[in-house]
């Protein structure tokens, strides 16, 4: 490689670190949203790099739907312990108990949409002025229009048709009382970049990303994990399959893929050969063509 | 590490933007690049096939891949800048797809601000038109280092070499007038894929590279400024731990030039001189730092440095100024207020400013300087002077895209209302 040149991963890394430092400098009470999935793990890793040798100067916040893969929660708690990071957890169950949201019923019930209320309440209660998220523009078409610094009105809503122009690396985080920002430090990363970076940096991730045997059943072409949270239809049968997860979200709407990949090298080769997007395993996006746009307008991640 | 895995680790990143009038084929071209380079997945393809059918289109409209918002799909237009990604074994690409109609200038300026290259589309049936001039002017104003003129819809002019040559000659005159240095030309059909990813069988007279080939190989490292050491301080790192009790590190991104331990540097605005003690990162110390790296500088002397200050080479400093002349692009529905007060964001620095004078506006269609009408409204490009409430550390935008650029913010609405390039 030429002199004064860095590869694409190092350039993305430098950009994300710049964005995260900008958040720490421009906001008084930022948090970083952390789900325990690979994107938020990478984002947190970048935050540690941004402030070394000091600790990350903000808390992480997890919106817990209660429908977790136990492996993710264990991983999360170990990581917080190891890095001495403060974690705030807000529970969707609490929003349900307080009567703020009504739980969906039926076989395809999901708490995914309810998270928005819990998140916005958390932001308001804790007077958070900026929430960083691990959203990437390559994930979904509405996300492709998202800014690094995304302004939210006092109702937490996104107005995609009226976004502030964003030029060079000059980020405008100015806002009125009660408004907040969502900032997406890894906007420009693709799924492939994330995996390559995890490999390059040897970042620890929950073991359910790797191949393992699991009890699953087929619904709408997805392999869903058998769990207490998902009622099964009589016609649906439990099967043992060798699978892994490409994304980790709420257990009720994250499908597994059949895979033998049990190392990062294998995963990278699998992602390179894959002919579907990772969102293809996400049940929540299939509800309608503009499902993500609608959820984002309301204040979703 | 297998070859397959290690191969990904020496790819470069190239950012480009597209420009063209409505219907010149920008979205189709991007769709084609994504499709032919296999960056489109089955579920995405399925989704756009369904949308195309719903709209009653006969063929799958690749433009739907980039039009992400509901309103855009319904109206078949692009509203806002959308970012797209694809990669080949050589490079990863970030495309800023900007719409060609209303608010055009504003969006193109946005897409152009971070681009290494611009694709300017020309419809081969229309040739070089007024709009082409406008796109080229903006690309040049934003100092995009490489311009690739894609002469599109060659299928509609029988793949004629003569037509291609005529357009090429016409464009060369434009490039000369604007003093654009690096221009390349490619005859393509975005719709059918000729010379986009694969060489055209219909145009064997064209001996040049395909578009993708060109994007994979144009030199980009040398476009960065490696001469003038500039480091805007973004954040001060002070660990609250016994181990690093006296540590003070200055975090930021190298804007330009090279920094090495032992280098003599000056801190602005104080003007105090010291040396770089070390360049720190999470992974240990570096023996040099260059753009666009994010690092932490540790200085030998204990001097007061904070966000907004700039660490620069002791021999070669930016100008320290309060009276500034710049070209701006106005981006807001509310016109600029004469002698209005705005907040300027320039590197990590921020200052209030007052507009002094509008020297001229540019008619982007004819490139004439207009001095009679001084109202600067949405999409206008103008040369202004302003006074800032405190000194800014600036280079001309021509020499430095980072220390030469700024944005203006309306103090009432907090909106970003203008993009500026210092003269
Ligand atoms: N025949 C032909 N039609 C094209 C070509 N490229 C684009 N088009 C058509 O031109 C129209 C406008 O294209 P679009 O990509 O939406 O243009 P945009 O407004 O610049 O994004 C569409 O109907 C395309 O199918 C081409 O190379 N040849
Ligand atoms: Mg278009």
């Amino acid at each position: 490689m030429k002199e004064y040149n860095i590869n694409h991963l190092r350039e993305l890394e430098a950009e994300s670190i710049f964005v995260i430092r900008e958040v720490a400098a421009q906001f008084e009470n930022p948090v970083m949203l952390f789900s325990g999935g690979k994107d938020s793990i990478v984002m947190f890793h970048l935050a540690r790099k941004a402030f070394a040798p000091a600790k990350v100067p903000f808390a992480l916040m997890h919106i817990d739907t209660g429908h977790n893969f136990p492996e993710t929660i264990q991983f999360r708690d170990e990581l917080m312990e190891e890095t001495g990071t403060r974690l705030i957890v807000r529970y969707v169950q609490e929003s349900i108990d307080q009567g703020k949201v009504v739980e969906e019923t039926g076989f395809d019930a999901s708490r995914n949409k309810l998270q928005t209320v819990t998140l916005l309440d958390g932001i308001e209660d804790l007077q958070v002025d900026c929430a960083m998220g691990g959203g990437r523009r390559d994930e979904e078409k509405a996300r492709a229009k998202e800014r690094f610094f995304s302004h939210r009105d006092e109702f937490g809503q996104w107005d995609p048709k009226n976004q502030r122009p964003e030029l060079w690396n000059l980020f405008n985080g100015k806002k009125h009382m009660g408004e907040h920002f969502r900032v997406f430090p890894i906007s420009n990363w693709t799924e492939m970049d994330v995996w390559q970076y995890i490999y390059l940096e040897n970042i620890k991730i929950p073991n359910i990303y790797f191949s393992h045997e699991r009890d699953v059943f087929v619904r709408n072409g997805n392999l869903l994990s058998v769990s207490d949270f998902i009622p099964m239809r009589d016609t649906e049968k439990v099967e043992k399959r060798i699978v892994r997860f490409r994304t980790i979200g709420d257990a009720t709407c994250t499908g597994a893929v059949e895979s033998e990949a049990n190392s990062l090298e294998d995963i990278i080769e699998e992602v390179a050969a894959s002919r579907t997007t990772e969102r293809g395993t996400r049940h929540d996006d299939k509800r309608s063509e503009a499902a993500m746009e609608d959820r984002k307008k309301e204040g979703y991640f | 590490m297998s070859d397959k895995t290690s191969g990904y680790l020496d790819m470069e990143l190239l950012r480009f933007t597209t420009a063209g009038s409505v219907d010149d084929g920008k979205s189709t071209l991007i769709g084609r690049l994504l499709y032919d380079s296999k960056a489109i997945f089955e579920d995405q393809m399925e989704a756009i096939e369904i949308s195309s059918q719903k709209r009653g289109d006969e063929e799958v409209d690749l433009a739907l891949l980039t039009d992400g918002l509901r309103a855009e799909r319904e109206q078949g237009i692009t509203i806002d800048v959308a970012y797209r990604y694809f990669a080949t074994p050589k490079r990863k690409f970030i495309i800023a797809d900007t719409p060609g109609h209303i608010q055009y200038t504003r969006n193109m300026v946005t897409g152009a601000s971070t681009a290494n290259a611009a694709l300017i589309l020309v419809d081969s049936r229309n040739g070089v038109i007024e709009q082409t001039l406008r796109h080229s002017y903006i690309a040049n104003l934003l100092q995009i280092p490489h311009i690739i003129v894609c002469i599109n819809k060659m299928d509609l002019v029988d793949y004629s070499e003569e037509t291609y040559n005529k357009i090429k000659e016409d464009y060369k005159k434009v490039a000369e007038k604007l003093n654009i240095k690096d221009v390349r030309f490619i005859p393509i059909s975005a719709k059918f894929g000729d010379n986009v990813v694969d060489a055209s069988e219909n145009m064997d007279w064209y001996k040049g590279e395909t578009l993708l080939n060109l994007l994979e190989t144009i030199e980009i490292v040398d476009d960065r400024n490696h001469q003038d050491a500039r480091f805007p301080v973004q954040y001060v790192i002070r660990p609250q731990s016994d181990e690093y009790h006296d540590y003070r590190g200055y975090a930021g991104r190298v804007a330009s030039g090279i920094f090495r331990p032992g280098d003599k540097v000056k801190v602005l605005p104080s003007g105090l001189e010291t040396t770089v003690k070390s360049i720190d990162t999470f992974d240990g110390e570096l023996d040099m730092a260059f753009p666009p790296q994010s690092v932490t500088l540790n200085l030998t002397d204990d001097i007061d440095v904070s966000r907004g200050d700039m660490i620069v080479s002791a021999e070669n400093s930016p100008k320290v100024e309060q009276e500034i002349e710049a070209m701006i692009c106005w981006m807001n529905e509310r016109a600029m207020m004469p002698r209005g007060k705005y907040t300027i964001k320039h590197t990590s620095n921020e200052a209030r400013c007052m507009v002094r004078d509008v020297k001229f506006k540019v008619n982007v269609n004819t490139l004439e300087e207009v001095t009679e009408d001084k109202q600067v409204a949405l999409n206008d490009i103008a040369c202004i002077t302003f006074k800032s409430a405190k000194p800014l550390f600036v280079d001309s935008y021509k020499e430095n895209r980072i220390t030469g650029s700024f944005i203006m913010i309306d103090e009432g609405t907090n909106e970003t209302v203008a993009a500026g390039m210092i003269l």
Side-chain angles (χ1 to χ4, degrees):
Chain A
M1 204 162 260
K2 278 188 70 160
E3 203 182 12
Y4 308 139
N5 197 6
I6 53 178
N7 72 32
H8 71 295
L9 295 173
R10 293 297 174 211
E11 187 165 344
L12 291 171
E13 174 188 67
E15 176 179 82
S16 301
I17 289 174
F18 178 84
V19 173
I20 294 167
R21 285 170 171 172
E22 213 46 34
V23 167
Q26 290 196 34
F27 296 95
E28 271 161 32
N29 190 24
V31 295
M32 180 170 268
L33 298 171
F34 187 85
S35 68
K38 65 181 191 314
D39 297 326
S40 56
I41 292 169
V42 163
M43 178 168 65
F44 174 57
H45 183 78
L46 292 162
R48 291 176 64 204
K49 286 199 161 192
F51 303 103
K55 280 188 188 163
V56 173
F58 38 75
L60 300 197
M61 182 152 115
H62 183 202
I63 304 301
D64 188 337
T65 62
H67 295 167
N68 302 300
F69 295 103
E71 295 89 340
T72 317
I73 299 300
Q74 192 192 340
F75 177 90
R76 177 196 78 186
D77 293 342
E78 283 168 13
L79 185 63
M80 296 305 106
E81 172 86 43
E82 199 182 299
T83 56
T85 309
R86 192 161 72 88
L87 176 76
I88 301 163
V89 185
R90 301 285 297 207
Y91 299 92
V92 172
Q93 187 62 51
E94 270 175 29
S95 305
I96 295 171
D97 295 345
Q98 291 163 358
K100 288 189 167 152
V101 293
V102 179
E103 176 120 58
E104 292 180 9
T105 52
F107 288 107
D108 287 322
S110 159
R111 288 184 168 183
N112 195 43
K113 197 166 180 271
L114 310 186
Q115 290 181 89
T116 303
V117 173
T118 313
L119 171 63
L120 291 176
D121 277 354
I123 286 173
E124 199 174 318
D125 293 350
L126 303 168
Q127 296 184 9
V128 167
D129 53 0
C130 173
M132 280 172 273
R136 310 187 321 261
R137 289 176 181 151
D138 83 317
E139 274 181 274
E140 206 281 330
K141 51 192 180 295
R143 286 206 196 275
K145 307 260 160 171
E146 185 66 272
R147 303 290 191 260
F148 274 96
F149 272 49
S150 184
H151 178 257
R152 300 300 149 112
D153 66 14
E154 64 261 59
F155 302 103
Q157 300 180 111
W158 182 52
D159 182 1
K161 283 196 276 187
N162 195 19
Q163 302 192 75
R164 292 180 185 174
E166 203 162 75
L167 300 108
W168 298 288
N169 281 311
L170 294 167
F171 299 112
N172 174 3
K174 292 195 184 294
K175 59 181 172 10
H176 295 293
M177 280 285 283
E179 299 173 344
H180 76 277
F181 269 79
R182 298 290 173 83
V183 170
F184 303 97
I186 61 166
S187 286
N188 277 333
W189 298 53
T190 60
E191 181 188 15
M192 188 51 142
D193 297 327
V194 168
W195 283 115
Q196 288 170 22
Y197 188 71
I198 289 171
Y199 176 77
L200 179 69
E201 292 279 301
N202 205 1
I203 300 170
K204 266 191 258 169
I205 51 172
N207 53 17
I208 60 175
Y209 278 116
F210 298 102
S211 179
H212 57 281
E213 191 181 67
R214 177 175 289 266
D215 286 342
V216 295
F217 65 96
V218 182
R219 179 178 291 175
N220 298 333
N222 282 333
L223 291 178
L224 293 184
S225 191
V226 174
S227 80
D228 298 342
F229 324 125
I230 322 177
M232 288 175 61
R233 293 187 176 86
D234 294 343
T235 49
E236 290 166 336
K237 281 192 196 63
V238 179
E239 303 170 50
K240 276 202 188 318
R241 298 235 197 141
I242 305 294
V243 298
R244 65 177 206 87
F245 288 91
R246 247 178 115 177
T247 71
I248 298 180
D250 182 275
T252 60
C253 57
T254 307
V257 290
E258 282 189 279
S259 168
E260 304 272 343
N262 51 27
S263 68
L264 287 169
E265 281 100 325
D266 290 349
I267 291 177
I268 290 173
E269 290 185 14
E270 193 179 280
V271 171
S274 170
R275 298 306 303 142
T276 56
T277 66
E278 58 182 340
R279 285 261 153 203
T281 62
R282 294 290 278 260
H283 213 57
D284 41 329
D285 290 341
K286 294 194 173 164
R287 293 187 169 191
S288 90
E289 189 173 31
M292 176 66 94
E293 182 181 338
D294 292 343
R295 272 183 290 146
K296 277 183 67 67
K297 280 182 186 161
E298 289 163 11
Y300 187 71
F301 300 98
Chain B
M1 195 189 295
S2 73
D3 283 354
K4 225 170 173 172
T5 326
S6 63
Y8 296 120
L9 303 180
D10 49 52
M11 283 158 57
E12 287 176 317
L13 182 60
L14 178 99
R15 298 170 204 253
F16 68 90
T17 184
T18 52
S21 315
V22 185
D23 286 347
D24 279 352
K26 290 181 304 294
S27 300
T28 310
L29 177 61
I30 291 172
R32 171 61 61 191
L33 275 170
L34 298 178
Y35 187 71
D36 284 0
S37 65
K38 314 224 167 8
I40 291 175
F41 296 104
E42 277 164 13
D43 48 331
Q44 289 174 313
M45 200 62 201
E46 237 169 69
I48 70 160
E49 273 166 14
I50 294 169
S51 306
S52 291
Q53 277 166 15
K54 270 192 204 154
R55 295 197 329 196
D57 297 346
E58 270 172 31
E59 290 163 65
V60 173
D61 185 357
L62 291 176
L64 289 173
L65 282 166
T66 61
D67 295 337
L69 301 174
R70 190 203 303 269
E72 294 177 316
R73 285 192 302 278
E74 284 169 3
Q75 296 162 37
I77 54 162
T78 314
I79 290 172
D80 197 358
V81 187
Y83 295 89
R84 297 289 150 192
Y85 304 84
F86 72 102
T88 68
K90 295 200 181 80
R91 278 186 179 165
K92 171 194 163 92
F93 299 95
I94 302 180
I95 316 172
D97 180 21
T98 62
H101 52 107
I102 37 153
Q103 310 215 329
Y104 182 77
T105 303
R106 160 177 138 167
N107 289 312
M108 183 174 169
V109 167
T110 303
S113 69
T114 49
N116 309 98
L119 309 189
I120 295 189
L121 272 86
V122 174
D123 186 326
S124 57
R125 295 170 302 176
N126 306 332
V128 174
I129 55 173
E130 211 173 71
Q131 314 247 30
T132 319
L133 199 64
R134 166 152 62 123
H135 304 147
S136 306
Y137 173 77
I138 296 169
N140 197 45
L141 180 70
L142 273 290
Q143 293 283 301
I144 301 180
H146 310 279
I147 296 208
I148 303 173
V149 180
C150 300
I151 299 167
N152 190 29
K153 307 199 184 182
M154 288 299 291
D155 54 295
L156 298 180
V157 295
D158 289 331
Y159 299 105
S160 154
E161 182 175 13
E162 207 185 317
T163 307
Y164 168 73
N165 283 334
K166 162 95 174 49
I167 296 172
K168 189 168 156 182
E169 288 317 308
D170 287 350
Y171 191 88
K172 278 188 175 163
K173 286 179 208 134
V174 173
E176 210 165 289
K177 188 162 160 192
L178 292 171
N179 199 15
I180 298 175
K181 279 159 229 102
D182 186 22
V183 196
R184 335 262 175 125
F185 300 89
I186 308 185
I188 63 165
S189 167
K191 187 165 181 179
F192 299 106
D194 298 76
N195 290 331
V196 178
V197 170
D198 301 311
S200 170
E201 287 173 11
N202 299 307
M203 293 179 275
D204 50 8
W205 46 263
Y206 173 73
K207 304 286 180 239
E209 291 174 280
T210 63
L211 177 59
L212 184 63
N213 226 313
L214 194 56
L215 289 170
E216 284 184 326
T217 52
I218 35 177
E219 281 293 338
I220 45 177
V221 179
D222 298 337
D223 297 338
R224 296 198 178 108
N225 176 333
H226 293 123
Q227 305 306 317
D228 314 309
R230 308 276 186 266
F231 187 85
V233 175
Q234 205 187 347
Y235 189 86
V236 181
I237 293 178
R238 254 169 308 181
Q240 313 291 328
S241 66
D242 293 340
E243 193 187 346
Y244 293 101
H245 191 68
D246 293 322
Y247 186 94
R248 267 177 83 89
Y250 304 109
R253 203 170 181 193
V254 181
S256 57
I258 318 293
F259 287 86
R260 291 189 174 84
D263 279 359
K264 278 199 148 126
V265 291
K266 183 157 70 182
V267 180
L268 298 174
S270 70
L272 293 172
E273 294 195 9
T274 179
T275 51
V276 176
K277 188 168 156 197
S278 61
I279 300 168
D280 300 345
T281 72
F282 180 83
D283 305 295
E285 294 183 14
L286 301 181
D287 52 15
M288 65 171 169
F290 50 84
Q293 290 180 314
S294 283
V295 297
T296 300
L297 295 187
N298 207 326
L299 303 178
T300 311
D301 297 293
D302 194 11
I303 49 183
D304 187 32
V305 183
S306 52
R307 175 173 167 89
D309 293 357
M310 196 184 285
I311 300 171
V312 305
S313 154
E315 275 98 56
N316 151 359
S317 313
K319 281 178 276 181
V320 179
E321 287 187 334
Q322 276 178 273
E323 300 275 352
I324 291 169
E325 184 170 321
M327 297 300 294
I328 60 164
C329 171
W330 198 257
M331 309 199 131
N332 201 264
E333 262 90 25
R334 285 193 7 201
M336 186 173 83
M337 294 171 288
R339 303 188 67 79
K341 293 194 178 71
Y342 295 92
T343 298
I344 293 270
K345 240 184 205 297
H346 169 260
T347 67
S348 55
N349 209 352
E350 208 178 288
R352 293 191 79 197
C353 80
M354 188 171 84
V355 177
R356 286 255 200 232
D357 187 26
V358 177
K359 296 193 128 177
F360 58 86
K361 288 207 304 185
V362 179
N363 177 330
V364 285
N365 295 319
T366 59
L367 306 190
E368 278 167 74
E369 294 178 2
V370 183
T371 50
E372 306 83 62
D373 170 18
K374 300 243 166 145
Q375 215 213 24
V376 181
L378 182 62
N379 291 319
D380 277 347
I381 289 176
C383 176
I384 65 161
T385 54
F386 65 84
K387 182 176 165 75
S388 68
K390 65 178 194 189
L392 300 177
F393 324 122
V394 302
D395 292 290
S396 79
Y397 186 75
K398 270 206 157 55
E399 267 142 43
N400 199 317
R401 279 175 97 180
I402 297 169
T403 56
S405 54
F406 63 88
I407 55 171
M408 290 166 77
I409 298 169
D410 183 304
E411 296 181 343
T413 64
N414 291 329
E415 288 170 329
T416 303
V417 291
M421 289 136 285
I422 295 163
L423 289 171

